[in-house]
Amino acid sequence: MKKLFLILCVLLGMTAQAQKETKVLIKTNQGDITVKLYDDTPLHRDNFIKLVNEGWFTGSPFHRVIKDFMIQGGQNADGRVDPGYTIPAEIKSNHYHFKGALAAARMGDQVNPKKNSSGSQFYIVQGNVFTTQQLERFRDYYGKTFTKAMVDVYTTKGGTPHLDGDYTVFGEVVEGLEVVDKIAAVKTGYMDVPVEPVKIISAEIINK
């Protein structure tokens, strides 16, 4: 009986550990955004945690903002675009570009055929709500595949379905989607840079 109890404790502990996902609180001058990082994209998860712990994102801007599309950040406050390395793609069919998805930016296919991600550049999807007819056109034109669950999300919550399969989605917003909307609505100028800077004040792991 005692042995059985110990086995159950171990199994319960393993289950709790497997279900625990890393969350990051991103404080911006427009409000707070909390994201969770997916465990099945470990290279991107661990790199994001490393950058957070190193303070890479402290004071860095959202330097590219496109309403109804996405908000992009990740360059260092001192102007460095990235840390000087890339991350192998971890593109998973179960992770797609719904509103609130956290994904890694990258160089284009012409110079980056393996779709490796930037070492620090990320974006959060705002996107649009699409009709089933529009998704069918995306399917035919871009060769995308949408499950019923994906269609349900894209026709209600919205997103950017044309990016699916081309960029690594490694997390999602769990709190603060209204802040994403607020940032996406700011006035922008040349190269989609906000006229008034939108900055990350700090980023921290909140479930150590």
Side-chain angles (χ1 to χ4, degrees), residues 82-156:
D82 60 51
Y85 58 82
T86 59
I87 308 167
E90 295 180 292
I91 298 170
K92 308 281 187 179
S93 60
N94 58 314
H95 298 319
Y96 51 100
H97 287 78
F98 57 83
K99 182 176 182 177
L102 171 68
R106 65 176 179 85
M107 298 293 286
D109 289 354
Q110 298 85 349
V111 295
N112 181 26
K114 292 184 178 180
K115 305 183 190 300
N116 290 341
S117 301
S118 161
S120 63
Q121 296 273 324
F122 69 88
Y123 59 92
I124 299 174
V125 173
Q126 186 194 35
N128 267 314
V129 173
F130 293 86
T131 65
T132 53
Q133 291 76 18
Q134 288 173 315
L135 292 176
E136 287 171 0
R137 286 197 290 271
F138 277 133
R139 180 197 62 200
D140 296 338
Y141 186 80
Y142 293 105
K144 305 296 183 183
T145 300
F146 303 116
T147 65
K148 182 182 183 303
M150 293 168 72
V151 171
D152 289 345
V153 171
Y154 282 137
T155 55
T156 55

Side-chain angles (χ1 to χ4, degrees), residues 50-86:
K50 168 182 170 290
L51 294 174
V52 168
N53 288 335
E54 290 176 351
W56 176 273
F57 299 119
T58 302
S60 69
F62 279 96
H63 59 276
R64 185 176 178 225
V65 171
I66 303 176
K67 191 176 186 300
D68 299 325
F69 183 35
M70 58 88 219
I71 61 175
Q72 182 173 337
Q75 67 183 41
N76 193 263
D78 64 10
R80 282 178 291 166
V81 174
D82 60 51
Y85 58 82
T86 59

Side-chain angles (χ1 to χ4, degrees), residues 26-33 62 64-72 99-100 124-127 173 175-188 192-199 201:
I26 302 171
K27 291 182 174 288
T28 82
N29 59 354
Q30 299 293 318
D32 296 349
I33 302 169
F62 279 96
R64 185 176 178 225
V65 171
I66 303 176
K67 191 176 186 300
D68 299 325
F69 183 35
M70 58 88 219
I71 61 175
Q72 182 173 337
K99 182 176 182 177
I124 299 174
V125 173
Q126 186 194 35
V173 174
E175 290 183 40
L177 267 179
E178 72 282 358
V179 178
V180 175
D181 288 336
K182 185 177 179 182
I183 293 173
V186 302
K187 184 178 180 181
T188 57
D192 304 309
V193 177
V195 173
E196 296 292 332
V198 178
K199 291 190 175 183
I201 299 168

